[in-house]
Structure formats: structure tokens, C-alpha cells
Amino acid sequence: MVSVLLVDDQPMLRLGFRAVLDGQPDIEVVGEAGNGVEALTLTSALAPDVVLMDVRMPVMDGIEATRRIVASGSRSRVLVLTTFDLDEYVFAALRAGASGFLIKDALPAELVGGVRVVAAGDAAVAPGVTRRLIETFVEHLPVAGAPNGTDPRIAELTSREREVLVELAHGRSNREIGERVFIAESTVKVHVGRMLTKLGLRDRAQAIVFAYEHGIVRPGDA
């Protein structure tokens, strides 16, 4: 069973999400929170597989709550809810450690699929949306990481792993990456896994942020 904590300040939305998720044979909603502070408390107590996190909430917003959950070393993965797919808070959420995001008016199948993907350890960020996020926001965000090549973790990557990271950061799927670098999709998955381990990252979403913050790729690159 995939356990889920719902975090949203609107009770009616939580009710709708619960109805969809509890209707699945492999998903169970284990708790609900109305703000970021409650989310921290319940995440610590319940250790859900996935925290479905709203961004705009009173007391503590979803960005800060996500940052604190990730910093605590919790095994719970955060799936952020946003009103618009180009919401300026989405990239901030990914930078804070979220494993992906969903639009609040997503279809029930998209909600269920997103929860399952994140629970399985992948990132629920569609390649096309990733590209638009990069194009729209990354040029206006402060670069907080070290410049290209100075982070010792980068030196541990093989040339192929670095190549895969570059392609991934452009929002390309495993299939697209394989076609561009002439390797099988299954081999791409292996390289992605090794790259994430060496960089100490949890998923593809964090890898995209890492690549841009460390200058491995830059906005406007092909």
C-alpha cells in the first residue's frame, strides 16, 4: 500500500482528493493537514510514502514545509499541488526537494498516477512541462550552487553519466535520451540511477535543479 498525507487548507479539496485516492486498491490516505506546520507534525508521526502538498497555505506555506521535510531526512516524498502548470512556485518547490508537482484540476487518473510514480522513486514532472518551467523561470532565479566543475560530486560522474544528466536537464524522457546518445532506454535508466547515487540526489527533479544551479547546463542551451 502507498500511504498518502493530504496537505491543503481547503477541506473540500482534501475531501475530493481523499475520495479519488482511497478508491484505489493500492493507495491509502493516512492523514490530513491544513497548513505546513501540521504537515511537518503529521509527516514525522505517520511517515507517509507521499505528501500531497499545496503551495499557498496559512501559518507555513508548502515550499517551506517541503524544504523542512526533505532536510529532516524523512523517507516521505513530496508531490506539490499548484493551480497553474507554470506557477512561479513550482520551480521553488523542486529546488526545495519536491519530487514533482500536479495541477489541482488534474484528472483523477493523473492524480493517482502521480502519487504512484513518486512513491516508486521517480519524479512526477512531465518532460514538456519541465521544458516550459526551465524556459520561463530559470533565467530569473538566483544561482545558489557552485560554478561548473567545482563541486567534487561532479568529478565522480563518468562522461556518459554527465551526458545523460545534460539531456535529462533539458526535460527529455529516457526514450528521448537514448535516441540522442544512441543507447537503449534500459541503459539510460541504469545511468540515471548511478548518476543520482553519485550526486546524492533523490530523483530526476532534483537532478534538473542541480544541473542548472551548478552550471552544467544553462538556459538557452540546445
Side-chain angles (χ1 to χ4, degrees), residues 6-21 29 32-33 52-57 81-83 103-106 111:
L6 300 178
V7 185
D8 196 296
D9 62 337
Q10 299 182 50
M12 289 302 294
L13 279 178
R14 296 201 306 268
L15 182 64
F17 294 142
R18 177 182 280 275
V20 171
L21 296 175
V29 175
E32 297 183 21
L52 197 59
M53 180 83 74
D54 187 21
V55 171
R56 297 179 179 87
M57 295 182 293
L81 291 166
T82 181
T83 304
I103 312 305
K104 280 194 173 183
D105 60 358
L111 173 63

Side-chain angles (χ1 to χ4, degrees), residues 74-156:
S74 171
R75 59 177 289 276
S76 301
R77 295 178 181 272
V78 179
L79 182 55
V80 169
L81 291 166
T82 181
T83 304
F84 304 105
D85 66 355
L86 286 182
D87 190 317
E88 65 186 47
Y89 291 101
V90 170
F91 196 91
L94 297 179
R95 172 180 279 169
S99 293
F101 68 93
L102 286 176
I103 312 305
K104 280 194 173 183
D105 60 358
L107 296 174
E110 293 173 328
L111 173 63
V112 171
V115 167
R116 287 174 177 154
V117 165
V118 168
D122 210 337
V125 184
V129 175
T130 300
R131 294 190 189 104
R132 297 204 304 277
L133 281 168
I134 291 167
E135 293 168 359
T136 305
F137 297 112
V138 79
E139 292 186 20
H140 307 292
L141 292 169
V143 177
N148 184 19
T150 63
D151 190 309
R153 293 175 294 176
I154 297 173
E156 296 181 11

